[in-house]
Amino acid sequence: DGRILYRFPDELPSSDSSIWAIAVDPGSGKPMGPPARLANVAPDSNDFRASADGKRFTYVSMRSSDAVYVGNLKLGAKAFNPKPLTLDEWNSSPSDWTRDSKAVLYYSIRSGRSVILKQRIDQQTPEILLSGAESYRWPVLSPTGDRLLYTAATTADRNDPSKRLMSMPMDGGASSVLLKGGHYTYQCGSVPSARCVASEIQGQQLVFSILDPVEGKGAEIHRVQAPAEGELLWSLSPDGNTIAITDPATGGEVRILTLADRKVVTLPLQGWKWDQMQSVAWSADGGHLFGTAWSGTSTALLFIDLRGNLQVLADAPTNEAWLYNPVASPDGRYLAFMKRTFESNVMMLEHF
């Protein structure tokens, strides 16, 4: 009937879209009336097709869901058997554990509000630590566990100039700003004597600096060459003395930076068969690493010893799931990670 059908994002903070229709004059291309909303759809809806008689319209609806999973490391790689910690439909991603290893810290968007939550692994309901209109991400505890570090920004855009690294007391009190703007990441060791470290991109270098949970960025520690495109991923050991660094573009390779002498040792990964290492994390005792690998056919959660030997803890076909961001509990018993699952359906509209 001459209408143009198109998908358009809904207003923030919703991540969904809607299918709209607008009638146009085929001669001039000018609208013949206001657009009309036909249906609310998933963020990724595509492959629009209309029947010849104009009575039916189909599209492919693709939706993903991020959940926090926890597995017991004491059972070994063959019996790791992770289970979902978050049982709702809100997207959630883990970033730290409480220092007693009883709860996971993660961030989420729920009912249009950005939240930072804490959930005990023996309970199904989380505790909200922070909620508001801003975008809150990457909650990390200070080494003693008395302060919460997190990123706040006006939007979820990673390059938002309003981006700030914040610190707040866990027992209540006002938040303070530790860093403003820039593209930074940060982590803290999990033992009381450990340090926190922040990194920032400066030109073609990734610059590591000491991070005080109260005072902010301190002295520079070391610089490493950064790729022209993409980014280096890194993890601070629980004692705060060693950093594991990986570049997704180089595939199966991890560099180990010792902060005491600034020496860097390359750890080639044996039996590597994926395209990218997409995240890396230290074990609780600092004796090995965890990583997540991705290729066009599979995604995997890996156990990596310091000789580069690999064991697969969990894997899945790429078109079914994506595994990311492992975080080990301080007592070494558990490993939390994010699992994104994908759902794809063909939908049909009639009488539109």
Side-chain angles (χ1 to χ4, degrees), residues 334-346:
Y334 303 102
L335 185 69
F337 62 95
M338 187 202 79
K339 181 177 182 179
R340 175 175 295 172
T341 54
F342 302 102
E343 178 182 321
S344 181
N345 296 294
V346 177

Side-chain angles (χ1 to χ4, degrees), residues 3 24 55 63 83 98 132 139 145 149 157 177 196-198 214 228 244-245 252 276 291 297 299 328 330:
R3 287 182 296 170
V24 297
K55 294 181 178 180
R63 185 181 294 274
K83 303 292 184 183
T98 54
L149 279 60
D157 185 347
V177 179
C196 298
V197 171
V214 177
I245 306 169
Q276 295 182 340
T297 57
T299 179

Side-chain angles (χ1 to χ4, degrees), residues 4-10 16-22 35-42 44-49 57-61 347-349 352:
I4 294 175
L5 278 64
Y6 60 96
R7 175 172 60 87
F8 196 77
D10 291 343
D16 286 346
S17 301
S18 295
I19 294 178
W20 295 75
I22 187 168
R37 187 197 302 261
L38 301 182
N40 289 32
V41 296
D44 189 1
S45 301
N46 52 60
D47 201 13
F48 288 6
R49 297 169 185 260
F57 171 74
T58 62
Y59 61 93
V60 176
S61 174
M347 311 296 289
M348 183 170 69
L349 297 179
F352 64 94

Side-chain angles (χ1 to χ4, degrees), residues 304-320:
I304 308 166
D305 69 23
L306 296 185
R307 294 182 298 276
N309 298 308
L310 305 178
Q311 282 185 288
V312 176
L313 294 175
D315 61 357
T318 302
N319 61 354
E320 294 181 7

